[in-house]
Amino acid sequence: MSDDVKKDADQATKPGDGSLEAQATSEAALESGSQNVPAAGARTPLDLVDVRRGMFGAHGSGDTSGYGGLVTTVLLPGPSERPYGGWFDEVVDILAELLDASGTGFGNAVESVVVDRGELTLTIAREHLVEVVQHLRDDQDLRFELGLGVSGVHYPHDEGRELHAVYHLTSVTHSRSLRLEVAVPESDPHIPSTTGVYPGHDWHERETFDFFGIIFDGHPGLARIEMPDDWPGHPQRKDYPLGGIPVEYKGATVPPADQRRSYT
Amino acid sequence: MSTTRPAPHHSPRATGHVVDDETTGVPSFEASGGDWSEIAEEAARLGEERIVVNMGPQHPSTHGVLRLMLEIDGETVTEARAGIGYLHTGIEKNMEFRTWTQGVTFCTRMDYVAPLFQEAAYCLAVEKLLGITDDVPERANVIRVLLMELNRITSHLVCVATGGNELGATTIMTVGFTAREELLKIFELITGLRMNHAFIRPGGVAQDVPAGGIEATREALTNVEHYLRQLEDLMLANPILQLRLKGVGHLNLAGAMALGVTGPILRSTGLPYDVRKTAPYCGYETYDFDVPTSDEPDAWGRLVLRLEEMYQSIKIARQALDRLEKNPGPVMVEDKKIAWPAQLAIGSDGMGNSLAHIKEIMGTSMEALIHHFKLVTEGFRVPAGQVWQTVEHPRGELGVHLVSDGGTRPYRAHFRDPSFNNLQATSIMCEGGQVADVVVAVASIDPVLGGVDR
């Protein structure tokens, strides 16, 4: 960790040794960023989510620390290659069989299969989500009968796929669990509701709507659940401020948490 | 209410609370404790058969700020809905602005009756993201198991005790809370605090068990067993309690699975689903314990089940104590880039400092000082990716969904709190029953609103 920091800092402070842009695209910078992801056998490609420069949140000022030249690439684990390992192959095969048989087609419904840290994530196209969860719940070899909930993530830099809804399903029968991820653009945040398959997702979808503004079409009563009904905005989005007031303590002022110096 | 009736000209108690256009002209009454006979009389005078009662958010028998919207016909509840959000504090959002280690301090405050479970689930998730699950020392895992099982007992005791209190059985409450006190003293001894411990940390636990801690815990467990017997004597043969609890808050297996209900409510339907068995963590697969189930999926079945679970927790806690006696060792991972730098001790100023550590960083090792500074101010970085970690919380399956962007703070931390999910069963458990049964049914769900609203 700190070795990478030192390397980039050294490069940045060397006079006449290339501009910041050159650093941003350099192999070294990308490599140092990708070291944030643990090496795993099957997985090679990575999804670039964001490129960050500098540190401490200081921009354009006289940064004498050398950290201003730091380039950090934010990479999330990308699609995996077969074999996925364990029961993952079996589940994906059965799902592919069912989706192909119904005429939907596996390739149309499942955008990618990601295996990371021993967990299986299927990225699903929103128009086929309900069919996929129906298969996952009802097929005797899949039997993901316990829908544990829906969570949202906001990736403002992932253009056209800013809002992600994440579904956590567990199979009590087979002692397995997997994750479904559905990405939608902020401009069209509609996802069909899964409450018809997992009635327990009712409140979870309301929560995700409340915090992220994802609209679950077909939900029986998509009202806010945690925030007051007339609350403007969706608080868990990244562009929504945390809020807070500066606190004075022994003569010094501590700014609110979202205005403090940051290291990322 | 759908009935449109002109408002009476001089209704002494009808207030002006108008929610929306549909309810304009519908008389509404405000009651806060005391005798409702006047209200009942006036409702009778107005000829209203169908009454919507707002129970809560301030009501002693709703386990916190839970709002129940009951549509009642006489004494029968025809529709029940739960309204939540009164204790929403934005903990998940706040965690995105603190380091991974500071996150523990936040998530422990979610379900404040079972704080150690949020800590453990969160730390297990962070360790999974870091890929250091197998590096966590054995002793740290044993301490985690010990604390979680003690916490399960205290949480179930609160459930049983407050449930009894809500029915007017104050002795159940006093015995339950006295028993809980025994274990809270142990928490204070081991973690320094009775609740909101922030004791389980990514990579291990903050401190080793102090001298005398194991003996004190053994003694406390014996006392708790004694109190549990008292509670059993008090409750299990009590005809009034049986009349109030049996057949109330019924929820069968199909209903529980459909609603994603887990924990004692699911096990009371006969399904032995317990994350400690199906997806073990912290070495639960090496402990000898049973998963009790019930064939009475009602409030009574759940009460008996919780009592049985407390005995199983005592059994696990004793095994953990045996292991602590046999295996001394570190309680934090060896990796100095992740491990919190110091094991604290109470200094002469009464503050938590480690004199040996201060001597080292100020006197001998500049590298140790730099490490300390970087870890405490900046925190450690966690490789990008996402994980899902579940633990068996006293109220069901607690899930943590963590997303990292490779930085020093969580990109997203989501907690799937079991009581948040289980509260959805309020309607199905209460509808068709009597108003008094609502209290029993909600008590058998055992919601903690701090966890529900987060």
Side-chain angles (χ1 to χ4, degrees):
Chain A
M1 169 187 82
S2 55
D3 289 340
D4 304 336
V5 171
K6 277 180 201 154
K7 191 167 69 188
D8 278 334
D10 285 344
Q11 285 173 0
T13 46
K14 270 178 214 157
D17 196 26
S19 65
L20 283 181
E21 279 70 31
Q23 262 193 20
T25 51
S26 77
E27 284 296 316
L30 283 169
E31 197 190 42
S32 73
S34 65
Q35 282 173 8
N36 284 330
V37 184
R43 197 190 63 237
T44 32
L46 295 163
D47 285 338
L48 182 70
V49 179
D50 195 10
V51 179
R52 292 186 190 141
R53 288 155 202 282
M55 228 186 185
F56 309 124
H59 297 286
S61 64
D63 175 21
T64 53
S65 68
Y67 282 110
L70 188 69
V71 178
T72 321
T73 52
V74 179
L75 299 156
L76 287 178
S80 307
E81 307 281 324
R82 276 191 188 261
Y84 306 128
W87 51 267
F88 299 160
D89 291 280
E90 190 193 331
V91 165
V92 174
D93 286 343
I94 295 168
L95 189 63
E97 205 177 289
L98 291 166
L99 287 168
D100 288 338
S102 74
T104 306
F106 180 74
N108 295 330
V110 180
E111 288 168 355
S112 67
V113 179
V114 181
V115 176
D116 180 47
R117 295 170 168 95
E119 293 180 1
L120 176 65
T121 310
L122 303 177
T123 314
I124 309 291
R126 59 176 159 183
E127 54 271 25
H128 302 299
L129 173 68
V130 177
E131 192 195 339
V132 169
V133 290
Q134 188 87 48
H135 287 313
L136 285 173
R137 187 193 71 175
D138 291 344
D139 188 82
Q140 58 168 352
D141 295 322
L142 298 175
R143 281 269 190 272
F144 287 88
E145 59 275 88
L146 200 55
L148 281 177
V150 185
S151 147
V153 191
H154 185 207
Y155 298 98
H157 302 283
D158 198 3
E159 264 175 56
R161 304 163 57 83
E162 288 94 350
L163 294 166
H164 291 222
V166 185
Y167 300 78
H168 312 284
L169 309 180
T170 290
S171 165
V172 177
T173 311
H174 301 293
S175 285
R176 297 166 174 171
S177 47
L178 61 72
R179 175 166 51 229
L180 303 181
E181 201 162 336
V182 181
V184 289
E186 232 173 67
S187 52
D188 177 30
H190 288 269
I191 296 177
S193 170
T194 54
T195 47
V197 182
Y198 298 111
H201 280 183
D202 182 343
W203 281 19
H204 297 277
E205 286 184 356
R206 279 178 67 189
E207 187 188 332
T208 310
F209 160 72
D210 193 353
F211 288 155
F212 291 91
I214 299 176
I215 297 162
F216 293 92
D217 297 319
H219 188 282
L222 196 68
R224 285 187 185 270
I225 189 163
E226 297 289 359
M227 307 305 286
D229 289 341
D230 55 353
W231 194 265
H234 300 284
Q236 285 277 12
R237 287 198 183 180
K238 287 288 172 188
D239 49 6
Y240 190 101
L242 178 68
I245 54 162
V247 176
E248 201 180 304
Y249 181 68
K250 292 192 175 177
T253 308
V254 182
D258 59 345
Q259 288 164 37
R260 285 177 208 160
R261 190 169 71 175
S262 84
Y263 296 87
T264 42
Chain B
M1 270 201 276
S2 58
T3 46
T4 47
R5 192 181 294 274
H9 287 296
H10 299 288
S11 49
R13 283 177 176 275
T15 56
H17 291 178
V18 175
V19 181
D20 52 46
D21 293 338
E22 276 177 40
T23 53
T24 316
V26 174
S28 70
F29 307 89
E30 229 176 53
S32 47
D35 198 349
W36 288 23
S37 56
E38 277 181 59
I39 294 173
E41 273 167 29
E42 198 184 325
R45 188 177 63 76
L46 292 171
E48 287 292 348
E49 299 276 324
R50 210 160 137 265
I51 299 177
V52 179
V53 173
N54 243 323
M55 195 166 141
Q58 267 77 29
H59 192 282
S61 72
T62 51
H63 288 236
V65 281
L66 172 66
R67 176 182 170 204
L68 292 165
M69 289 158 273
L70 307 174
E71 189 187 284
I72 55 173
D73 181 5
E75 272 294 315
T76 310
V77 177
T78 53
E79 198 180 325
R81 293 185 197 185
I84 60 168
Y86 297 93
L87 202 55
H88 176 59
T89 43
I91 293 178
E92 290 176 358
K93 177 99 177 166
N94 263 295
M95 287 172 79
E96 293 171 14
F97 292 87
R98 319 285 160 144
T99 66
W100 292 93
T101 310
Q102 285 173 321
V104 180
T105 319
F106 277 87
C107 68
T108 189
R109 282 160 168 78
M110 290 179 171
D111 186 334
Y112 43 79
V113 180
L116 288 155
F117 290 90
Q118 278 92 244
E119 294 178 20
Y122 171 77
C123 291
L124 286 167
V126 176
E127 285 154 13
K128 207 192 251 187
L129 270 172
L130 285 163
I132 57 163
T133 310
D134 296 333
D135 303 336
V136 176
E138 168 68 14
R139 192 173 173 84
N141 274 331
V142 177
I143 294 175
R144 286 177 181 184
V145 168
L146 172 70
L147 288 172
M148 278 195 279
E149 291 311 319
L150 296 182
N151 202 174
R152 192 183 311 280
I153 301 170
T154 62
S155 174
H156 280 350
L157 279 170
V158 169
C159 171
V160 171
T162 55
N165 189 47
E166 284 157 15
L167 299 178
T170 319
T171 324
I172 295 177
M173 188 267 284
T174 51
V175 175
F177 275 86
T178 315
R180 177 171 178 254
E181 199 59 31
E182 294 280 340
L183 293 175
L184 291 189
K185 279 181 196 156
I186 299 299
F187 285 152
E188 191 172 355
L189 181 69
I190 295 177
T191 73
L193 292 164
R194 290 157 57 89
M195 63 192 292
N196 302 338
H197 313 275
F199 181 74
I200 300 174
R201 304 277 175 86
V205 295
Q207 288 287 104
D208 202 349
V209 176
I214 294 171
E215 296 72 44
T217 312
R218 281 196 195 283
E219 201 186 318
L221 284 176
T222 315
N223 294 344
V224 167
E225 264 183 335
H226 163 74
Y227 287 119
L228 280 181
R229 296 259 141 69
Q230 266 190 32
L231 276 175
E232 283 176 4
D233 291 346
L234 205 55
M235 293 195 293
L236 294 184
N238 186 326
I240 302 173
L241 199 68
Q242 292 195 12
L243 281 170
R244 288 298 308 271
L245 263 59
K246 279 195 174 169
V248 174
H250 190 276
L251 181 68
N252 63 13
L253 176 61
M257 289 305 285
L259 289 171
V261 170
T262 46
I265 308 177
L266 179 60
R267 288 192 286 273
S268 75
T269 66
L271 182 73
Y273 179 69
D274 188 317
V275 187
R276 291 176 293 176
K277 291 284 190 193
T278 57
Y281 48 91
C282 292
Y284 264 112
E285 66 276 16
T286 59
Y287 292 85
D288 174 29
F289 68 101
D290 299 324
V291 178
T293 57
S294 165
D295 48 9
E296 295 168 280
D298 56 14
W300 179 260
R302 283 166 218 143
L303 170 76
V304 178
L305 194 63
R306 288 197 172 98
L307 288 170
E308 283 175 15
E309 282 189 10
M310 284 192 262
Y311 282 112
Q312 292 299 325
S313 290
I314 292 176
K315 193 174 164 188
I316 301 172
R318 290 212 167 111
Q319 293 172 50
L321 288 169
D322 291 342
R323 293 183 192 191
L324 285 181
E325 269 170 353
K326 280 184 211 137
N327 310 317
V331 294
M332 185 55 92
V333 286
E334 272 181 25
D335 189 349
K336 288 291 173 205
K337 288 183 190 291
I338 293 167
W340 197 250
Q343 291 267 301
L344 300 180
I346 297 177
S348 55
D349 53 357
M351 305 287 274
N353 287 317
S354 168
L355 281 179
H357 180 67
I358 293 172
K359 225 175 240 171
E360 191 199 354
I361 61 174
M362 300 311 281
T364 55
S365 171
M366 197 168 87
E367 285 73 24
L369 176 67
I370 294 171
H371 255 106
H372 183 123
F373 179 74
K374 275 184 77 76
L375 257 181
V376 174
T377 57
E378 179 181 337
F380 52 79
R381 282 169 195 278
V382 171
Q386 58 179 334
V387 289
W388 170 250
Q389 172 72 44
T390 64
V391 302
E392 187 65 32
H393 190 279
R395 278 164 268 292
E397 187 164 0
L398 170 72
V400 179
H401 178 221
L402 281 186
V403 183
S404 171
D405 63 349
T408 55
R409 311 185 294 192
Y411 189 73
R412 166 87 169 117
H414 175 73
F415 283 70
R416 185 263 186 203
D417 187 85
S419 21
F420 173 81
N421 189 93
N422 295 357
L423 260 184
Q424 294 184 94
T426 313
S427 309
I428 198 169
M429 282 189 191
C430 296
E431 283 170 12
Q434 300 207 318
V435 180
D437 294 341
V438 171
V439 175
V440 176
V442 171
S444 81
I445 296 176
D446 185 26
V448 171
L449 271 292
V452 172
D453 290 340
R454 285 158 286 133

